[in-house]
Structure formats: structure tokens, C-alpha cells
Short mmCIF file of all heavy atoms in Angstrom, two decimals:
data_model
loop_
_atom_site.label_atom_id
_atom_site.label_comp_id
_atom_site.label_asym_id
_atom_site.label_seq_id
_atom_site.Cartn_x
_atom_site.Cartn_y
_atom_site.Cartn_z
N MET A 1 32.90 44.73 1.40
CA MET A 1 32.83 43.40 2.02
C MET A 1 31.36 42.90 2.02
O MET A 1 31.09 41.69 1.80
CB MET A 1 33.39 43.44 3.43
CG MET A 1 33.37 42.15 4.10
SD MET A 1 34.80 41.13 3.53
CE MET A 1 34.67 39.78 4.59
N GLY A 2 30.41 43.75 2.28
CA GLY A 2 29.03 43.41 2.34
C GLY A 2 28.54 42.82 1.02
O GLY A 2 27.74 41.92 1.00
N GLU A 3 28.97 43.44 -0.06
CA GLU A 3 28.52 42.97 -1.37
C GLU A 3 29.07 41.51 -1.68
O GLU A 3 28.36 40.73 -2.22
CB GLU A 3 28.97 43.95 -2.41
CG GLU A 3 28.41 43.59 -3.81
CD GLU A 3 28.73 44.67 -4.84
OE1 GLU A 3 28.73 45.86 -4.51
OE2 GLU A 3 29.05 44.29 -5.97
N ASN A 4 30.28 41.30 -1.25
CA ASN A 4 30.87 39.97 -1.46
C ASN A 4 30.13 38.90 -0.67
O ASN A 4 29.91 37.80 -1.11
CB ASN A 4 32.35 39.95 -1.03
CG ASN A 4 33.23 40.69 -2.03
OD1 ASN A 4 32.82 40.92 -3.15
ND2 ASN A 4 34.42 41.06 -1.59
N VAL A 5 29.72 39.31 0.58
CA VAL A 5 28.96 38.36 1.43
C VAL A 5 27.62 38.06 0.76
O VAL A 5 27.16 36.90 0.68
CB VAL A 5 28.78 38.94 2.81
CG1 VAL A 5 27.82 38.04 3.67
CG2 VAL A 5 30.12 38.98 3.53
N GLN A 6 26.95 39.07 0.25
CA GLN A 6 25.68 38.90 -0.37
C GLN A 6 25.77 38.04 -1.63
O GLN A 6 24.96 37.16 -1.90
CB GLN A 6 25.00 40.22 -0.73
CG GLN A 6 24.42 40.95 0.49
CD GLN A 6 23.70 42.22 0.09
OE1 GLN A 6 23.99 42.79 -0.96
NE2 GLN A 6 22.77 42.65 0.93
N THR A 7 26.81 38.28 -2.40
CA THR A 7 27.04 37.51 -3.60
C THR A 7 27.29 36.06 -3.28
O THR A 7 26.77 35.16 -3.90
CB THR A 7 28.22 38.11 -4.46
OG1 THR A 7 27.94 39.43 -4.74
CG2 THR A 7 28.46 37.33 -5.69
N ALA A 8 28.12 35.80 -2.24
CA ALA A 8 28.44 34.47 -1.82
C ALA A 8 27.16 33.74 -1.31
O ALA A 8 26.93 32.59 -1.63
CB ALA A 8 29.51 34.47 -0.76
N MET A 9 26.40 34.48 -0.54
CA MET A 9 25.15 33.96 0.00
C MET A 9 24.18 33.56 -1.13
O MET A 9 23.56 32.51 -1.14
CB MET A 9 24.47 34.89 1.02
CG MET A 9 23.60 34.21 1.97
SD MET A 9 23.12 35.20 3.42
CE MET A 9 22.99 36.86 2.84
N PHE A 10 24.11 34.44 -2.12
CA PHE A 10 23.22 34.20 -3.27
C PHE A 10 23.67 32.96 -4.06
O PHE A 10 22.85 32.13 -4.41
CB PHE A 10 23.25 35.47 -4.16
CG PHE A 10 22.34 35.31 -5.37
CD1 PHE A 10 20.96 35.28 -5.25
CD2 PHE A 10 22.91 35.18 -6.63
CE1 PHE A 10 20.15 35.16 -6.34
CE2 PHE A 10 22.12 35.05 -7.76
CZ PHE A 10 20.72 35.04 -7.62
N GLU A 11 24.98 32.79 -4.20
CA GLU A 11 25.49 31.62 -4.88
C GLU A 11 25.21 30.34 -4.10
O GLU A 11 24.88 29.32 -4.65
CB GLU A 11 26.97 31.79 -5.18
CG GLU A 11 27.33 32.85 -6.17
CD GLU A 11 26.68 32.61 -7.52
OE1 GLU A 11 26.65 31.40 -7.99
OE2 GLU A 11 26.17 33.60 -8.11
N ILE A 12 25.39 30.47 -2.78
CA ILE A 12 25.14 29.28 -1.93
C ILE A 12 23.63 28.89 -1.99
O ILE A 12 23.30 27.71 -2.16
CB ILE A 12 25.54 29.58 -0.48
CG1 ILE A 12 27.03 29.64 -0.40
CG2 ILE A 12 25.00 28.49 0.47
CD1 ILE A 12 27.57 30.18 0.93
N LEU A 13 22.73 29.84 -1.96
CA LEU A 13 21.34 29.56 -2.05
C LEU A 13 20.99 29.02 -3.43
O LEU A 13 20.10 28.08 -3.48
CB LEU A 13 20.54 30.86 -1.78
CG LEU A 13 20.52 31.35 -0.38
CD1 LEU A 13 19.86 32.71 -0.24
CD2 LEU A 13 19.84 30.35 0.57
N LYS A 14 21.58 29.49 -4.47
CA LYS A 14 21.32 28.92 -5.79
C LYS A 14 21.79 27.48 -5.85
O LYS A 14 21.08 26.62 -6.40
CB LYS A 14 22.06 29.75 -6.89
CG LYS A 14 21.33 30.98 -7.26
CD LYS A 14 21.86 31.75 -8.48
CE LYS A 14 23.17 31.36 -9.04
NZ LYS A 14 23.66 32.22 -10.13
N SER A 15 22.90 27.18 -5.25
CA SER A 15 23.43 25.83 -5.19
C SER A 15 22.47 24.92 -4.41
O SER A 15 22.20 23.78 -4.85
CB SER A 15 24.84 25.79 -4.54
OG SER A 15 25.25 24.49 -4.34
N ILE A 16 22.01 25.42 -3.27
CA ILE A 16 21.07 24.63 -2.48
C ILE A 16 19.77 24.40 -3.26
O ILE A 16 19.22 23.25 -3.26
CB ILE A 16 20.76 25.33 -1.16
CG1 ILE A 16 21.97 25.35 -0.20
CG2 ILE A 16 19.57 24.73 -0.39
CD1 ILE A 16 21.88 26.22 1.00
N GLN A 17 19.28 25.38 -3.94
CA GLN A 17 18.04 25.23 -4.69
C GLN A 17 18.26 24.19 -5.86
O GLN A 17 17.35 23.34 -6.08
CB GLN A 17 17.68 26.59 -5.33
CG GLN A 17 16.38 26.56 -6.07
CD GLN A 17 15.99 27.94 -6.63
OE1 GLN A 17 16.87 28.76 -6.85
NE2 GLN A 17 14.70 28.16 -6.81
N GLY A 18 19.40 24.24 -6.48
CA GLY A 18 19.68 23.23 -7.54
C GLY A 18 19.75 21.84 -6.99
O GLY A 18 19.21 20.90 -7.60
N LYS A 19 20.37 21.67 -5.82
CA LYS A 19 20.44 20.34 -5.23
C LYS A 19 19.07 19.88 -4.78
O LYS A 19 18.76 18.70 -4.93
CB LYS A 19 21.39 20.38 -3.99
CG LYS A 19 22.86 20.52 -4.38
CD LYS A 19 23.75 20.63 -3.23
CE LYS A 19 25.19 20.80 -3.65
NZ LYS A 19 26.17 21.01 -2.54
N LEU A 20 18.26 20.74 -4.24
CA LEU A 20 16.89 20.38 -3.85
C LEU A 20 16.05 19.94 -5.07
O LEU A 20 15.34 18.95 -5.00
CB LEU A 20 16.21 21.53 -3.14
CG LEU A 20 16.58 21.75 -1.70
CD1 LEU A 20 15.93 22.98 -1.18
CD2 LEU A 20 16.27 20.57 -0.83
N ALA A 21 16.20 20.63 -6.19
CA ALA A 21 15.53 20.29 -7.41
C ALA A 21 15.98 18.89 -7.88
O ALA A 21 15.15 18.08 -8.33
CB ALA A 21 15.75 21.30 -8.48
N ASP A 22 17.27 18.63 -7.77
CA ASP A 22 17.81 17.30 -8.17
C ASP A 22 17.24 16.21 -7.27
O ASP A 22 16.87 15.13 -7.72
CB ASP A 22 19.33 17.35 -8.15
CG ASP A 22 19.94 16.04 -8.63
OD1 ASP A 22 19.53 15.59 -9.74
OD2 ASP A 22 20.80 15.50 -7.96
N HIS A 23 17.17 16.46 -5.96
CA HIS A 23 16.67 15.51 -5.01
C HIS A 23 15.20 15.27 -5.26
O HIS A 23 14.70 14.10 -5.22
CB HIS A 23 16.87 15.94 -3.55
CG HIS A 23 18.24 15.84 -3.11
ND1 HIS A 23 18.93 14.59 -3.02
CD2 HIS A 23 19.13 16.76 -2.65
CE1 HIS A 23 20.12 14.84 -2.57
NE2 HIS A 23 20.32 16.09 -2.37
N ASP A 24 14.42 16.30 -5.64
CA ASP A 24 13.01 16.15 -5.93
C ASP A 24 12.82 15.27 -7.17
O ASP A 24 11.94 14.37 -7.23
CB ASP A 24 12.32 17.48 -6.18
CG ASP A 24 12.04 18.28 -4.90
OD1 ASP A 24 12.17 17.66 -3.79
OD2 ASP A 24 11.76 19.47 -4.99
N ARG A 25 13.66 15.49 -8.19
CA ARG A 25 13.55 14.71 -9.42
C ARG A 25 13.90 13.26 -9.10
O ARG A 25 13.15 12.33 -9.53
CB ARG A 25 14.56 15.24 -10.43
CG ARG A 25 14.55 14.45 -11.77
CD ARG A 25 15.65 14.94 -12.71
NE ARG A 25 16.99 14.83 -12.11
CZ ARG A 25 17.66 13.71 -11.91
NH1 ARG A 25 17.16 12.57 -12.27
NH2 ARG A 25 18.88 13.76 -11.35
N ARG A 26 14.89 13.00 -8.33
CA ARG A 26 15.25 11.65 -7.95
C ARG A 26 14.19 10.96 -7.14
O ARG A 26 13.87 9.76 -7.30
CB ARG A 26 16.62 11.59 -7.27
CG ARG A 26 17.76 11.99 -8.21
CD ARG A 26 19.09 12.17 -7.51
NE ARG A 26 19.51 11.02 -6.74
CZ ARG A 26 20.41 11.03 -5.85
NH1 ARG A 26 21.05 12.14 -5.53
NH2 ARG A 26 20.75 9.91 -5.23
N PHE A 27 13.61 11.74 -6.24
CA PHE A 27 12.52 11.18 -5.38
C PHE A 27 11.32 10.80 -6.29
O PHE A 27 10.68 9.76 -6.05
CB PHE A 27 12.09 12.25 -4.37
CG PHE A 27 11.17 11.73 -3.37
CD1 PHE A 27 11.52 10.84 -2.37
CD2 PHE A 27 9.81 12.13 -3.40
CE1 PHE A 27 10.64 10.42 -1.44
CE2 PHE A 27 8.91 11.66 -2.47
CZ PHE A 27 9.30 10.80 -1.48
N ASP A 28 10.95 11.65 -7.26
CA ASP A 28 9.89 11.28 -8.15
C ASP A 28 10.21 10.07 -8.98
O ASP A 28 9.36 9.22 -9.21
CB ASP A 28 9.61 12.46 -9.14
CG ASP A 28 8.99 13.67 -8.42
OD1 ASP A 28 8.44 13.47 -7.33
OD2 ASP A 28 9.04 14.83 -9.01
N GLU A 29 11.41 9.93 -9.42
CA GLU A 29 11.88 8.71 -10.18
C GLU A 29 11.71 7.47 -9.30
O GLU A 29 11.24 6.41 -9.77
CB GLU A 29 13.32 8.86 -10.68
CG GLU A 29 13.44 9.85 -11.78
CD GLU A 29 14.93 10.05 -12.13
OE1 GLU A 29 15.83 9.43 -11.52
OE2 GLU A 29 15.18 10.88 -13.09
N LEU A 30 12.07 7.60 -8.02
CA LEU A 30 11.93 6.45 -7.08
C LEU A 30 10.46 6.05 -6.92
O LEU A 30 10.09 4.92 -6.86
CB LEU A 30 12.55 6.75 -5.78
CG LEU A 30 14.10 6.71 -5.75
CD1 LEU A 30 14.59 7.16 -4.35
CD2 LEU A 30 14.57 5.31 -6.01
N GLY A 31 9.60 7.13 -6.83
CA GLY A 31 8.20 6.87 -6.70
C GLY A 31 7.62 6.12 -7.92
O GLY A 31 6.82 5.19 -7.79
N ASP A 32 8.08 6.54 -9.10
CA ASP A 32 7.66 5.85 -10.29
C ASP A 32 8.11 4.42 -10.30
O ASP A 32 7.37 3.53 -10.70
CB ASP A 32 8.18 6.60 -11.59
CG ASP A 32 7.59 7.94 -11.74
OD1 ASP A 32 6.49 8.22 -11.15
OD2 ASP A 32 8.14 8.79 -12.51
N LEU A 33 9.35 4.23 -9.87
CA LEU A 33 9.91 2.83 -9.83
C LEU A 33 9.16 1.96 -8.88
O LEU A 33 8.81 0.79 -9.15
CB LEU A 33 11.39 2.88 -9.46
CG LEU A 33 12.11 1.57 -9.37
CD1 LEU A 33 12.11 0.87 -10.75
CD2 LEU A 33 13.53 1.78 -8.90
N ILE A 34 8.80 2.51 -7.73
CA ILE A 34 8.05 1.79 -6.69
C ILE A 34 6.69 1.38 -7.25
O ILE A 34 6.21 0.24 -7.09
CB ILE A 34 7.92 2.56 -5.41
CG1 ILE A 34 9.24 2.63 -4.71
CG2 ILE A 34 6.87 1.97 -4.50
CD1 ILE A 34 9.31 3.57 -3.51
N ARG A 35 6.00 2.32 -7.94
CA ARG A 35 4.70 2.02 -8.52
C ARG A 35 4.78 0.89 -9.58
O ARG A 35 4.00 0.01 -9.64
CB ARG A 35 4.08 3.28 -9.12
CG ARG A 35 3.42 4.17 -8.08
CD ARG A 35 2.65 5.36 -8.73
NE ARG A 35 3.56 6.37 -9.31
CZ ARG A 35 4.22 7.27 -8.64
NH1 ARG A 35 4.08 7.27 -7.30
NH2 ARG A 35 4.95 8.14 -9.25
N LYS A 36 5.84 0.99 -10.40
CA LYS A 36 6.08 -0.08 -11.40
C LYS A 36 6.34 -1.43 -10.78
O LYS A 36 5.76 -2.41 -11.19
CB LYS A 36 7.26 0.30 -12.32
CG LYS A 36 7.54 -0.71 -13.42
CD LYS A 36 8.76 -0.35 -14.22
CE LYS A 36 9.09 -1.35 -15.25
NZ LYS A 36 9.17 -2.73 -14.84
N GLN A 37 7.11 -1.44 -9.70
CA GLN A 37 7.38 -2.69 -9.01
C GLN A 37 6.14 -3.27 -8.38
O GLN A 37 5.94 -4.50 -8.39
CB GLN A 37 8.44 -2.45 -7.92
CG GLN A 37 9.83 -2.17 -8.43
CD GLN A 37 10.41 -3.34 -9.20
OE1 GLN A 37 10.23 -4.51 -8.86
NE2 GLN A 37 11.14 -3.07 -10.23
N ARG A 38 5.26 -2.38 -7.85
CA ARG A 38 4.02 -2.89 -7.27
C ARG A 38 3.13 -3.52 -8.38
O ARG A 38 2.50 -4.59 -8.16
CB ARG A 38 3.25 -1.75 -6.64
CG ARG A 38 3.78 -1.34 -5.28
CD ARG A 38 2.98 -0.22 -4.66
NE ARG A 38 3.54 0.20 -3.41
CZ ARG A 38 3.28 1.28 -2.79
NH1 ARG A 38 2.43 2.15 -3.34
NH2 ARG A 38 3.84 1.55 -1.67
N ARG A 39 3.06 -2.87 -9.54
CA ARG A 39 2.28 -3.44 -10.65
C ARG A 39 2.85 -4.77 -11.11
O ARG A 39 2.08 -5.72 -11.26
CB ARG A 39 2.26 -2.48 -11.84
CG ARG A 39 1.21 -1.38 -11.82
CD ARG A 39 1.11 -0.70 -13.15
NE ARG A 39 2.34 -0.31 -13.74
CZ ARG A 39 2.93 0.89 -13.55
NH1 ARG A 39 2.35 1.81 -12.82
NH2 ARG A 39 4.06 1.18 -14.14
N ASP A 40 4.19 -4.84 -11.21
CA ASP A 40 4.78 -6.09 -11.62
C ASP A 40 4.56 -7.20 -10.59
O ASP A 40 4.30 -8.34 -10.95
CB ASP A 40 6.34 -5.87 -11.79
CG ASP A 40 6.66 -5.00 -13.02
OD1 ASP A 40 5.72 -4.72 -13.80
OD2 ASP A 40 7.79 -4.56 -13.12
N THR A 41 4.68 -6.85 -9.36
CA THR A 41 4.47 -7.84 -8.24
C THR A 41 3.02 -8.32 -8.25
O THR A 41 2.79 -9.50 -8.10
CB THR A 41 4.82 -7.24 -6.90
OG1 THR A 41 6.16 -6.79 -6.91
CG2 THR A 41 4.61 -8.23 -5.77
N ALA A 42 2.08 -7.41 -8.46
CA ALA A 42 0.68 -7.83 -8.51
C ALA A 42 0.48 -8.78 -9.71
O ALA A 42 -0.25 -9.76 -9.56
CB ALA A 42 -0.23 -6.59 -8.65
N GLY A 43 1.08 -8.49 -10.84
CA GLY A 43 0.95 -9.36 -11.96
C GLY A 43 1.55 -10.75 -11.75
O GLY A 43 0.94 -11.72 -12.10
N LEU A 44 2.71 -10.80 -11.05
CA LEU A 44 3.31 -12.05 -10.74
C LEU A 44 2.47 -12.82 -9.80
O LEU A 44 2.39 -14.07 -9.86
CB LEU A 44 4.71 -11.82 -10.18
CG LEU A 44 5.76 -11.38 -11.18
CD1 LEU A 44 7.06 -10.98 -10.44
CD2 LEU A 44 6.06 -12.52 -12.19
N LEU A 45 1.86 -12.12 -8.86
CA LEU A 45 0.98 -12.82 -7.87
C LEU A 45 -0.22 -13.45 -8.60
O LEU A 45 -0.58 -14.60 -8.28
CB LEU A 45 0.48 -11.81 -6.81
CG LEU A 45 -0.39 -12.37 -5.68
CD1 LEU A 45 0.33 -13.43 -4.94
CD2 LEU A 45 -0.84 -11.23 -4.81
N VAL A 46 -0.82 -12.73 -9.52
CA VAL A 46 -1.95 -13.27 -10.26
C VAL A 46 -1.49 -14.52 -11.07
O VAL A 46 -2.17 -15.56 -11.06
CB VAL A 46 -2.56 -12.26 -11.25
CG1 VAL A 46 -3.48 -12.86 -12.23
CG2 VAL A 46 -3.26 -11.13 -10.42
N MET A 47 -0.33 -14.45 -11.67
CA MET A 47 0.19 -15.58 -12.41
C MET A 47 0.47 -16.79 -11.52
O MET A 47 0.15 -17.91 -11.85
CB MET A 47 1.44 -15.20 -13.20
CG MET A 47 1.13 -14.25 -14.36
SD MET A 47 2.64 -13.63 -15.16
CE MET A 47 3.54 -15.09 -15.53
N ALA A 48 1.00 -16.51 -10.35
CA ALA A 48 1.35 -17.56 -9.42
C ALA A 48 0.11 -18.24 -8.93
O ALA A 48 0.01 -19.50 -8.80
CB ALA A 48 2.18 -17.03 -8.27
N LYS A 49 -0.94 -17.46 -8.61
CA LYS A 49 -2.21 -18.04 -8.17
C LYS A 49 -2.80 -18.89 -9.26
O LYS A 49 -3.35 -19.96 -8.98
CB LYS A 49 -3.17 -16.94 -7.72
CG LYS A 49 -2.86 -16.33 -6.38
CD LYS A 49 -3.85 -15.27 -5.98
CE LYS A 49 -3.54 -14.70 -4.60
NZ LYS A 49 -4.56 -13.73 -4.19
N GLY A 50 -2.75 -18.43 -10.49
CA GLY A 50 -3.24 -19.25 -11.62
C GLY A 50 -2.51 -20.52 -11.77
O GLY A 50 -3.11 -21.61 -11.96
N ALA A 51 -1.22 -20.47 -11.66
CA ALA A 51 -0.42 -21.66 -11.81
C ALA A 51 -0.68 -22.60 -10.67
O ALA A 51 -0.79 -23.84 -10.85
CB ALA A 51 1.09 -21.33 -11.87
N ALA A 52 -0.82 -22.13 -9.42
CA ALA A 52 -1.09 -22.98 -8.28
C ALA A 52 -2.47 -23.59 -8.41
O ALA A 52 -2.66 -24.79 -8.10
CB ALA A 52 -1.00 -22.15 -7.02
N GLY A 53 -3.42 -22.84 -8.91
CA GLY A 53 -4.77 -23.38 -9.15
C GLY A 53 -4.76 -24.47 -10.17
O GLY A 53 -5.43 -25.54 -10.01
N GLN A 54 -4.05 -24.29 -11.27
CA GLN A 54 -3.99 -25.29 -12.34
C GLN A 54 -3.25 -26.53 -11.80
O GLN A 54 -3.68 -27.66 -12.05
CB GLN A 54 -3.20 -24.80 -13.51
CG GLN A 54 -3.12 -25.71 -14.68
CD GLN A 54 -4.50 -26.01 -15.28
OE1 GLN A 54 -5.29 -25.10 -15.44
NE2 GLN A 54 -4.82 -27.29 -15.46
N PHE A 55 -2.24 -26.37 -11.00
CA PHE A 55 -1.48 -27.51 -10.39
C PHE A 55 -2.46 -28.30 -9.52
O PHE A 55 -2.45 -29.53 -9.52
CB PHE A 55 -0.29 -27.02 -9.63
CG PHE A 55 0.47 -28.14 -8.96
CD1 PHE A 55 1.33 -28.94 -9.67
CD2 PHE A 55 0.30 -28.38 -7.58
CE1 PHE A 55 2.02 -29.98 -9.05
CE2 PHE A 55 0.98 -29.42 -6.94
CZ PHE A 55 1.85 -30.21 -7.72
N ALA A 56 -3.23 -27.59 -8.71
CA ALA A 56 -4.20 -28.26 -7.78
C ALA A 56 -5.20 -29.07 -8.61
O ALA A 56 -5.57 -30.22 -8.23
CB ALA A 56 -4.89 -27.24 -6.89
N GLU A 57 -5.69 -28.48 -9.70
CA GLU A 57 -6.62 -29.20 -10.55
C GLU A 57 -5.98 -30.44 -11.13
O GLU A 57 -6.59 -31.55 -11.15
CB GLU A 57 -7.18 -28.33 -11.64
CG GLU A 57 -8.16 -27.26 -11.16
CD GLU A 57 -8.58 -26.31 -12.32
OE1 GLU A 57 -8.47 -26.78 -13.52
OE2 GLU A 57 -9.04 -25.23 -12.02
N ASP A 58 -4.80 -30.31 -11.65
CA ASP A 58 -4.10 -31.46 -12.24
C ASP A 58 -3.86 -32.56 -11.23
O ASP A 58 -4.01 -33.73 -11.49
CB ASP A 58 -2.74 -31.02 -12.90
CG ASP A 58 -2.99 -30.10 -14.09
OD1 ASP A 58 -4.11 -30.03 -14.63
OD2 ASP A 58 -2.01 -29.44 -14.52
N LEU A 59 -3.39 -32.15 -10.04
CA LEU A 59 -3.13 -33.10 -8.98
C LEU A 59 -4.48 -33.83 -8.55
O LEU A 59 -4.48 -35.06 -8.37
CB LEU A 59 -2.54 -32.41 -7.77
CG LEU A 59 -2.18 -33.30 -6.59
CD1 LEU A 59 -1.17 -34.38 -7.02
CD2 LEU A 59 -1.65 -32.48 -5.44
N ALA A 60 -5.52 -33.12 -8.45
CA ALA A 60 -6.84 -33.75 -8.13
C ALA A 60 -7.20 -34.75 -9.25
O ALA A 60 -7.76 -35.81 -8.90
CB ALA A 60 -7.89 -32.68 -7.96
N ALA A 61 -6.98 -34.42 -10.50
CA ALA A 61 -7.36 -35.34 -11.57
C ALA A 61 -6.43 -36.62 -11.47
O ALA A 61 -6.98 -37.75 -11.63
CB ALA A 61 -7.07 -34.71 -12.94
N VAL A 62 -5.19 -36.46 -11.17
CA VAL A 62 -4.27 -37.63 -10.99
C VAL A 62 -4.79 -38.46 -9.82
O VAL A 62 -4.84 -39.71 -9.86
CB VAL A 62 -2.81 -37.20 -10.85
CG1 VAL A 62 -1.93 -38.38 -10.40
CG2 VAL A 62 -2.34 -36.65 -12.17
N GLU A 63 -5.09 -37.83 -8.71
CA GLU A 63 -5.53 -38.55 -7.54
C GLU A 63 -6.83 -39.31 -7.81
O GLU A 63 -7.00 -40.42 -7.37
CB GLU A 63 -5.75 -37.61 -6.37
CG GLU A 63 -4.47 -37.06 -5.78
CD GLU A 63 -4.70 -35.97 -4.75
OE1 GLU A 63 -5.79 -35.35 -4.72
OE2 GLU A 63 -3.79 -35.76 -3.96
N GLU A 64 -7.72 -38.74 -8.65
CA GLU A 64 -8.98 -39.41 -9.00
C GLU A 64 -8.64 -40.62 -9.86
O GLU A 64 -9.26 -41.68 -9.63
CB GLU A 64 -9.87 -38.40 -9.71
CG GLU A 64 -11.21 -39.06 -10.20
CD GLU A 64 -12.05 -39.64 -9.05
OE1 GLU A 64 -11.93 -39.23 -7.88
OE2 GLU A 64 -12.89 -40.48 -9.37
N ARG A 65 -7.75 -40.50 -10.82
CA ARG A 65 -7.35 -41.62 -11.63
C ARG A 65 -6.76 -42.73 -10.81
O ARG A 65 -7.03 -43.93 -11.02
CB ARG A 65 -6.46 -41.19 -12.75
CG ARG A 65 -7.12 -40.23 -13.77
CD ARG A 65 -6.11 -39.73 -14.77
NE ARG A 65 -5.81 -40.74 -15.74
CZ ARG A 65 -4.94 -40.55 -16.74
NH1 ARG A 65 -4.31 -39.40 -16.89
NH2 ARG A 65 -4.69 -41.51 -17.58
N VAL A 66 -5.93 -42.36 -9.90
CA VAL A 66 -5.32 -43.42 -8.99
C VAL A 66 -6.37 -44.11 -8.20
O VAL A 66 -6.37 -45.31 -8.01
CB VAL A 66 -4.24 -42.75 -8.11
CG1 VAL A 66 -3.81 -43.70 -6.98
CG2 VAL A 66 -3.03 -42.31 -8.90
N ARG A 67 -7.33 -43.33 -7.67
CA ARG A 67 -8.43 -43.88 -6.88
C ARG A 67 -9.23 -44.87 -7.73
O ARG A 67 -9.51 -45.98 -7.29
CB ARG A 67 -9.35 -42.83 -6.39
CG ARG A 67 -10.39 -43.30 -5.37
CD ARG A 67 -11.44 -42.24 -5.08
NE ARG A 67 -12.26 -41.90 -6.23
CZ ARG A 67 -13.23 -42.64 -6.73
NH1 ARG A 67 -13.49 -43.84 -6.29
NH2 ARG A 67 -13.90 -42.22 -7.74
N VAL A 68 -9.53 -44.51 -8.97
CA VAL A 68 -10.22 -45.44 -9.84
C VAL A 68 -9.43 -46.66 -10.16
O VAL A 68 -9.99 -47.81 -10.07
CB VAL A 68 -10.61 -44.70 -11.22
CG1 VAL A 68 -11.11 -45.69 -12.24
CG2 VAL A 68 -11.64 -43.61 -10.92
N LEU A 69 -8.14 -46.51 -10.36
CA LEU A 69 -7.31 -47.73 -10.62
C LEU A 69 -7.21 -48.60 -9.41
O LEU A 69 -7.23 -49.87 -9.50
CB LEU A 69 -5.90 -47.29 -11.06
CG LEU A 69 -5.80 -46.67 -12.43
CD1 LEU A 69 -4.39 -46.10 -12.67
CD2 LEU A 69 -6.17 -47.66 -13.49
N GLU A 70 -7.15 -48.01 -8.23
CA GLU A 70 -7.12 -48.81 -6.99
C GLU A 70 -8.45 -49.60 -6.83
O GLU A 70 -8.41 -50.74 -6.38
CB GLU A 70 -6.85 -47.93 -5.77
CG GLU A 70 -5.43 -47.45 -5.71
CD GLU A 70 -5.23 -46.45 -4.55
OE1 GLU A 70 -6.21 -45.87 -4.02
OE2 GLU A 70 -4.08 -46.24 -4.17
N VAL A 71 -9.55 -48.97 -7.13
CA VAL A 71 -10.86 -49.65 -6.98
C VAL A 71 -10.93 -50.79 -8.01
O VAL A 71 -11.43 -51.90 -7.63
CB VAL A 71 -12.01 -48.64 -7.20
CG1 VAL A 71 -13.35 -49.39 -7.36
CG2 VAL A 71 -12.07 -47.68 -6.09
N ARG A 72 -10.47 -50.58 -9.17
CA ARG A 72 -10.46 -51.64 -10.19
C ARG A 72 -9.58 -52.84 -9.79
O ARG A 72 -9.88 -53.98 -10.12
CB ARG A 72 -9.94 -51.15 -11.55
CG ARG A 72 -10.98 -50.48 -12.40
CD ARG A 72 -10.37 -50.32 -13.76
NE ARG A 72 -10.91 -49.10 -14.35
CZ ARG A 72 -10.40 -48.59 -15.44
NH1 ARG A 72 -9.37 -49.09 -16.06
NH2 ARG A 72 -10.92 -47.46 -15.96
N GLY A 73 -8.48 -52.58 -9.14
CA GLY A 73 -7.53 -53.57 -8.82
C GLY A 73 -7.98 -54.49 -7.72
O GLY A 73 -7.44 -55.54 -7.48
N ARG A 74 -9.02 -54.12 -6.99
CA ARG A 74 -9.48 -54.94 -5.85
C ARG A 74 -10.31 -56.10 -6.29
O ARG A 74 -10.93 -56.43 -7.10
CB ARG A 74 -10.28 -54.07 -4.92
CG ARG A 74 -9.41 -53.13 -4.14
CD ARG A 74 -10.19 -52.31 -3.16
NE ARG A 74 -9.33 -51.25 -2.64
CZ ARG A 74 -9.68 -50.38 -1.86
NH1 ARG A 74 -10.97 -50.33 -1.38
NH2 ARG A 74 -8.86 -49.48 -1.40
#
């Protein structure tokens, strides 16, 4: 009986070790995914700031043209 218990315990420990290795692998994959998402988000933020800056410049140019036209019309 003692040998059966030891064999069963050994199999259980091997199973636990395998499951822990699988969890570690999945955790590493999630870490990689999070890092990729951070990089992508940072890139999108840079693009959004650039687009907003360009929009502000274009709007300022239109406002200046409107101001000049208003002055001419008086």
C-alpha cells in the first residue's frame, strides 16, 4: 500500500508541476501581449497628438483668412 501511495503522490506532483509550467508560459505570453499593447497605444497617442496639432494649425489658418476677409469687407 505504501508504494501505491508514493506512486500516486509522485503522479500528482508531476501533474501539478506540468500545470504550473503551463501557467508560467501563459503568464509570460500575457506579459508579452501587454508590452505590445503599450507600444501600440503609445504609437497611437503620438499619431493622435500629431493629427490634433495639424488640425489646430489648419483651423488657425482658416480663422486668419476669415479675419482678413472680415477686415476687407468693412
Side-chain angles (χ1 to χ4, degrees):
M1 183 79 176
E3 188 175 321
N4 287 342
V5 171
Q6 284 184 336
T7 302
M9 202 164 37
F10 181 70
E11 292 301 319
I12 291 169
L13 289 174
K14 280 189 348 184
S15 172
I16 291 171
Q17 185 179 24
K19 288 178 182 178
L20 284 174
D22 185 49
H23 287 298
D24 285 348
R25 180 188 55 75
R26 290 172 59 196
F27 187 73
D28 289 342
E29 288 174 0
L30 284 174
D32 292 343
L33 180 62
I34 289 170
R35 281 188 288 283
K36 181 185 179 305
Q37 291 294 324
R38 283 183 182 162
R39 274 193 312 270
D40 292 349
T41 301
L44 288 171
L45 181 60
V46 167
M47 290 173 51
K49 284 183 178 181
Q54 185 63 47
F55 178 78
E57 287 179 21
D58 293 345
L59 181 60
V62 168
E63 288 173 340
E64 178 60 23
R65 290 174 77 182
V66 168
R67 188 190 65 76
V68 169
L69 290 172
E70 287 176 341
V71 168
R72 276 193 213 167
R74 289 182 188 178

